[in-house]
Amino acid sequence: MADLDPGRYRDSDALALKWFQAGGRTIFVRPQDWEPTTSVGTLAGALLRDQGRTRDMAVLASLGQHHYLTTGHAEALFFRSARGAQRRMRKLEEWRLVTRWHQMEPRSVGGWRRHPDVFLLTARGATVLAHYLRSDPRPLIKRAFSAFQYAFHLDHALGTNGFFASLVQASRELPNQGLYHWLGDDGIRSAFQEHDPELSPDGFGRYLTADAEIGFHLEWDSGTERPQRLRAKARAALAAVRGHVLWVAPWPARELTIRSALERESSGRVAGFHTTHAGLLCAHGPLGPVWRPLEQDDRRPLSALPGRARGPLQIEDCLGKPGWWERRPGGTEGA
DNA sequence: TCCCCACGACTTTCTCGCTT
DNA sequence: AAGCGAGAAAGTCGTGGGGA
């Protein structure tokens, strides 16, 4: 069994998922205030001249959709090297389109471990993005401000985002697979309006294989929710979700707790629930044989889950593939 | 001495506009 | 269309800070 502490994994581990977060322990060093200024002024000219503006806008769009991206997440989605991601994010920061937080995680034995910096959209970034997308900037600014001001679930968000980023990273070199859609919780909540939006899953993904489209919702568990609430979430998913729901537990025993809650709630009904835990994800990666269906013992890879026949979506347009943002300016949620 | 991350310096590759 | 050059972007390597 792999060690559960993500801090123990090294770059040399073939499938190390270095940005998986340990839940709820990290502290964030952030600027005092959110910049309320929305003037874009001289920036417009610099951006228009900039060769990488399409990618920059896709970075901003992804920040608008998922709120918190680390240097590692940005690298997985948009860059081929960590240095490239660092350089570009620094530039966006200098243009005051994004703001940066440092993360430090206290170690159990004392001391601190530095994690990659976290980037958030500024008001200026939201305005520039809205201008680029020809949309109303106000909702974008409002959501970006909320992400800055009310970052209560930041660890949880980074865990969810880290899962999808690791999926992008793991599939980017595969010629006939890829993650096409990644919807954040904002995008999913609208689909849950008829139910309790508080019970909506944490993310939605559409994974393409050679002959199938596999849609799945993600539940990223922090290990703090009571079984009662787990069952409520299971009920909501049974009512509102067609397709798979993947539950990720922080440790093996917690996975068993989740499984018993799910099995109790879904007994006798068809449920596409699968579970895993962070140790397996770190050891095998998100594409490894880690997903265990309810009332079964075997674990299977994501690509082996049943899906529907491939539609017009193209593998080469999947997230992380070369230049994907050129063809999908709407970010990870767009067509 | 090692780890992790950010970043500076230098080199190489790519992109774009201009000229012929 | 082809060739050229300037500047931007990307690749690589080493360093530094903060920690064990």
Side-chain angles (χ1 to χ4, degrees), chain A residues 86-221:
Chain A
Q86 288 169 354
R87 249 193 304 247
R88 204 61 205 176
M89 296 311 288
R90 163 67 75 197
K91 192 134 193 168
L92 295 179
E93 187 185 18
E94 284 169 0
W95 285 340
R96 307 210 320 270
L97 299 173
V98 303
T99 186
R100 175 196 303 258
W101 295 354
H102 304 295
Q103 358 175 27
M104 302 294 286
E105 180 195 352
R107 287 181 181 273
S108 52
V109 292
W112 298 86
R113 175 176 186 261
R114 187 177 184 180
H115 281 284
D117 290 352
V118 179
F119 293 92
L120 295 84
L121 205 56
T122 60
R124 181 182 236 215
T127 306
V128 167
L129 174 63
H131 197 259
Y132 180 76
L133 298 175
R134 299 177 202 284
S135 65
D136 181 5
R138 284 168 297 186
L140 261 178
I141 292 174
K142 190 177 167 187
R143 288 208 301 274
F145 176 76
S146 293
F148 185 95
Q149 202 67 27
Y150 309 111
F152 304 129
H153 307 296
L154 182 45
D155 276 302
H156 182 263
L158 288 176
T160 306
N161 294 351
F163 172 82
F164 282 99
S166 73
L167 196 49
V168 171
Q169 175 93 335
S171 62
R172 65 189 304 171
E173 303 296 336
L174 302 179
N176 53 5
Q177 294 186 25
L179 181 68
Y180 193 92
H181 280 129
W182 165 23
L183 270 67
D185 53 357
D186 287 348
I188 293 181
R189 278 165 186 251
S190 56
F192 263 71
Q193 284 307 317
E194 295 177 19
H195 308 272
D196 184 352
E198 288 302 306
L199 297 176
S200 65
D202 301 313
F204 170 80
R206 190 187 313 282
Y207 193 76
L208 306 190
T209 65
D211 46 21
E213 288 183 7
I214 303 162
F216 64 91
H217 284 83
L218 180 77
E219 281 285 356
W220 187 266
D221 180 73

Side-chain angles (χ1 to χ4, degrees), chain A residues 7 51 73 92 130 207 221-222 227 247 252 259 263 268 301 334:
Chain A
Q51 290 178 10
H73 301 162
L92 295 179
Y207 193 76
D221 180 73
S222 301
W247 300 71
R259 291 183 67 81
E263 283 168 358

Side-chain angles (χ1 to χ4, degrees), chain A residues 53-71:
Chain A
R53 62 185 173 277
T54 317
R55 183 175 57 188
D56 291 339
M57 290 302 116
V59 172
L60 297 185
S62 299
L63 274 174
Q65 288 157 359
H66 307 297
H67 307 309
Y68 313 101
L69 295 180
T70 67
T71 315

Side-chain angles (χ1 to χ4, degrees), chain A residues 1-9 22 25 249-253 277-280 282:
Chain A
M1 242 298 290
D3 193 311
L4 292 183
D5 182 356
R8 296 288 186 87
Y9 291 93
R25 294 188 287 140
W251 51 82
H277 61 81
L280 284 174
C282 286

